[in-house]
């Protein structure tokens, strides 16, 4: 399995309260223990809203987890070209915009930064948002060269627009089943039918602020819903291609 969405929360590095929330510790070693037995061979370490623009924690997590893992970071508009290139050398492969948590709301600024990191390093852009509130940003997502949306777009009300964006090549993370307001099997089936390469499974560990944390049974739900052959792509192949990860590695 490629875990396309996980967080590492290391007490050695600073945290920034977001909407009054500071998460508990969840180190790279905690992550390894939690997924032991799931066959995880790589993944994407995602910067949370509570980590601001700090890059030290992400560099450390990627170094500890190894070359099967890529980074997804948050960046200030003034990030320099050389800083982006340095992060790329450390294994970062995407920039994240956590609109759901009240950050990075200017469409013009989002597009400018997303295009710049793509031109510099080939990165894609990832968005944490409710697709039901996406209408003002949808033209940007259609124009960007490589784009992904977290947590199935969060809501049933946003699914029609999300499916339209999938038709434009937008990827969707099959993550956060315990935080979304929609019928997860129905969303999985409809997104997969629109584009079999679109869905990327992730644990969303440690499931910060989720009503229901990740369960091992969430992996089985993907298999039961889509069938074994399609699930193999969702659980591994799609994310391996999207993040440019090694096709095979030792389990963490």
């Amino acid at each position: 399995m490629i875990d396309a969405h996980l967080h590492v929360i290391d007490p050695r590095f600073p945290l920034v309260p977001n909407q009054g929330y500071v998460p508990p510790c969840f180190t790279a070693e905690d992550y390894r223990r939690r997924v032991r037995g799931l066959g995880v061979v790589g993944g994407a370490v995602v910067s949370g809203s509570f980590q601001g623009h700090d890059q030290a924690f992400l560099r450390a997590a990627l170094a500890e987890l190894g070359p099967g893992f890529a980074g997804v970071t948050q960046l200030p508009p003034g990030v320099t070209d050389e800083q982006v290139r340095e992060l790329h050398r450390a294994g970062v492969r995407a920039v994240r915009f956590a609109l759901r948590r009240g950050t990075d709301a200017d469409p013009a600024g989002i597009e400018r930064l997303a295009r710049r990191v793509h031109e510099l390093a080939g990165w894609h852009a990832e968005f944490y948002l409710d697709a039901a509130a996406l209408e003002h940003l949808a033209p940007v997502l259609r124009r960007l060269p490589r784009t992904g949306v977290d947590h199935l777009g969060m809501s049933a009300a946003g699914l029609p627009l999300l499916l339209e964006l999938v038709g434009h090549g937008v990827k969707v993370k099959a993550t956060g089943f315990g935080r979304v307001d929609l019928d997860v099997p129905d969303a999985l089936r409809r997104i997969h039918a629109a584009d079999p390469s679109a869905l990327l499974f992730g644990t969303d560990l440690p499931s910060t602020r989720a009503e229901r944390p990740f369960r091992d049974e969430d992996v089985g739900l993907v298999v039961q819903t889509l069938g074994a052959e399609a699930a193999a792509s969702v659980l591994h192949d799609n994310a391996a291609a999207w993040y440019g990860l090694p096709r095979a590695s030792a389990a963490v």
Side-chain angles (χ1 to χ4, degrees), residues 33-52:
R33 281 196 296 267
R34 176 63 185 83
V35 299
R36 195 164 290 143
L38 290 180
V40 173
V41 296
V45 182
V46 178
S47 292
S49 55
F50 40 77
Q51 285 159 323

Side-chain angles (χ1 to χ4, degrees), residues 110-189:
I110 288 170
E111 183 167 10
R112 217 166 21 245
L113 181 56
R115 285 191 178 280
R116 187 155 74 91
V117 298
H118 178 75
E119 291 164 4
L120 283 169
W123 292 5
H124 64 267
E126 297 190 3
F127 292 85
Y128 179 22
L129 46 74
D130 185 339
L134 183 56
E135 193 63 43
H136 75 291
L137 196 61
V140 174
L141 271 66
R142 293 187 192 101
R143 288 193 298 266
L144 289 176
R146 299 181 74 229
T147 307
V149 172
D150 293 347
H151 308 320
L152 297 171
M154 292 301 295
S155 72
L159 187 56
L161 179 52
L162 184 65
L163 289 168
E164 188 266 324
L165 290 169
V166 168
H168 285 267
V170 171
K171 307 300 183 186
V172 180
K173 289 193 177 182
T175 54
F177 294 173
R179 70 169 75 244
V180 301
D181 180 21
L182 47 73
D183 181 330
V184 170
D186 176 66
L188 293 175
R189 281 190 290 265

Side-chain angles (χ1 to χ4, degrees), residues 66-121:
F69 288 79
V72 180
T73 194
Q74 300 171 133
L75 295 173
V79 64
T80 68
D81 292 358
E82 184 51 35
Q83 285 171 326
V84 172
R85 294 188 184 103
E86 286 178 2
L87 288 169
H88 186 81
R89 289 191 287 270
V92 177
R93 294 295 181 266
V95 63
R96 189 186 197 216
F97 301 96
L99 280 73
R100 176 83 172 175
R101 296 303 176 194
T103 62
D104 309 301
D106 171 43
I110 288 170
E111 183 167 10
R112 217 166 21 245
L113 181 56
R115 285 191 178 280
R116 187 155 74 91
V117 298
H118 178 75
E119 291 164 4
L120 283 169

Side-chain angles (χ1 to χ4, degrees), residues 147-235:
T147 307
V149 172
D150 293 347
H151 308 320
L152 297 171
M154 292 301 295
S155 72
L159 187 56
L161 179 52
L162 184 65
L163 289 168
E164 188 266 324
L165 290 169
V166 168
H168 285 267
V170 171
K171 307 300 183 186
V172 180
K173 289 193 177 182
T175 54
F177 294 173
R179 70 169 75 244
V180 301
D181 180 21
L182 47 73
D183 181 330
V184 170
D186 176 66
L188 293 175
R189 281 190 290 265
R190 293 173 69 182
I191 295 167
H192 184 264
D195 179 357
S197 73
L199 284 169
L200 320 172
F201 181 80
T203 63
D204 188 34
L205 284 169
S207 305
T208 55
R209 289 187 270 197
E211 184 175 337
R212 191 268 290 169
F214 166 78
R215 299 187 296 226
D216 291 2
E217 291 82 1
D218 292 343
V219 180
L221 177 63
V222 175
V223 180
Q224 293 159 17
T225 301
L226 299 178
E229 184 176 349
S233 296
V234 174
L235 294 171

